[in-house]
Amino acid sequence: MTDRKDELAGNLAKVEQRIADACAAAGRARDEVTLIVVTKTYPASDVRILSELGVRHVAENRDQDAAPKAAACADLPLAWHFVGQLQTNKVRSVVGYADVVQSVDRSRLVTALSKEAVKAGREIGCLLQVALDAGVSGRGERGGVAPGGIEELADLVAGSPGLRLDGLMTVAPLTGEYAGRQRAAFERLMDLSTDLRRAHPAANMVSAGMSADLEDAVAAGATHVRVGTAVLGVRPRLG
Ligand SMILES: *Cc1c(COP(=O)(O)O)cnc(C)c1O
């Protein structure tokens, strides 16, 4: 193995162990939790190695970086998740490679995604990004719909051709009542997911937890964790 492949294999094994331990501690089966490796800022060559090591889900947060990377890796059996704030002028490009958009947070974005998905003949999975630091009806610092806006946005996605409502996503807030309280934040997301599934039973994905707090997310009931740094290393710049 190359040095980089060794390094990634070692990091993946450690993350896998953390997920397995967290599942065991929570009394959950390991296969209830899917690892998504966040490859932002890292090259397509790393994505290729991760695929060889058995990774099946990768995530990116900037279309400019993600589009060429996804094109370079089009031969690999990977699901691509888009997890960044998404401008409507990037939607056409993102719909070209993303299987799931985890950052759906406003009706204008839903309309644009639906239009482009239909044009491309694709079905795009959508997670509503929930801002737990937003006011009752506002939006979060880093995007996201306030809890009070979930129901309306979910109905819109569910009724939009080309889109599939898959569930909810959140990033642990840095401000507001949940700052520094990841476990409580993820438990709140689970409660919101329970509410959502009353009207949309198939929307059962709960994406929460990153390198620093994946254990809290698994304990709360997350179905998907998004891990970057712990697999690929500390990013050279914020991304
Ligand atoms: C970068 C990023 C992650 C991964 O964060 P790490 O701390 O590197 O594990 C997860 N989710 C989103 C939305 C991100 O932008």
Side-chain angles (χ1 to χ4, degrees), residues 38 40 61 83 169 171 209-212 226-230 235 239:
V38 183
K40 64 189 183 193
N61 73 335
V83 299
M169 175 272 227
V171 177
M210 318 199 297
S211 294
R226 310 177 307 269
V227 180
T229 310
R235 284 179 294 276

Side-chain angles (χ1 to χ4, degrees), residues 158-222:
S160 294
L163 304 184
R164 184 183 68 238
L165 181 67
D166 279 347
L168 302 180
M169 175 272 227
T170 203
V171 177
L174 299 172
T175 59
E177 61 171 312
Y178 290 107
R181 301 172 58 225
Q182 285 87 340
R183 177 73 181 266
F186 299 148
E187 283 172 353
R188 172 87 171 112
L189 186 71
M190 280 308 300
D191 288 344
L192 295 168
S193 167
T194 302
D195 291 345
L196 175 71
R197 279 176 284 138
R198 285 199 189 98
H200 303 280
N204 58 6
M205 274 177 70
V206 180
S207 172
M210 318 199 297
S211 294
D213 54 20
L214 72 87
E215 284 84 1
D216 288 317
V218 172

Side-chain angles (χ1 to χ4, degrees), residues 10-85:
N11 290 347
L12 266 179
K14 279 184 217 145
V15 168
E16 173 53 40
Q17 190 62 52
R18 284 176 61 189
I19 297 172
D21 289 348
C23 285
R28 303 181 63 195
R30 170 62 190 89
D31 65 7
E32 289 177 33
V33 180
T34 300
L35 170 65
I36 302 171
V37 179
V38 183
T39 49
K40 64 189 183 193
T41 78
Y42 286 94
S45 55
D46 280 351
V47 178
R48 192 161 287 279
I49 292 171
L50 290 168
S51 177
E52 287 165 13
L53 293 171
V55 169
R56 289 294 168 262
H57 294 264
V58 294
E60 290 281 331
N61 73 335
R62 285 163 49 96
D63 176 60
Q64 300 92 302
D65 300 332
K69 223 183 281 187
C73 297
D75 58 314
L76 303 176
L78 291 170
W80 290 79
H81 297 251
F82 192 86
V83 299
Q85 288 188 46

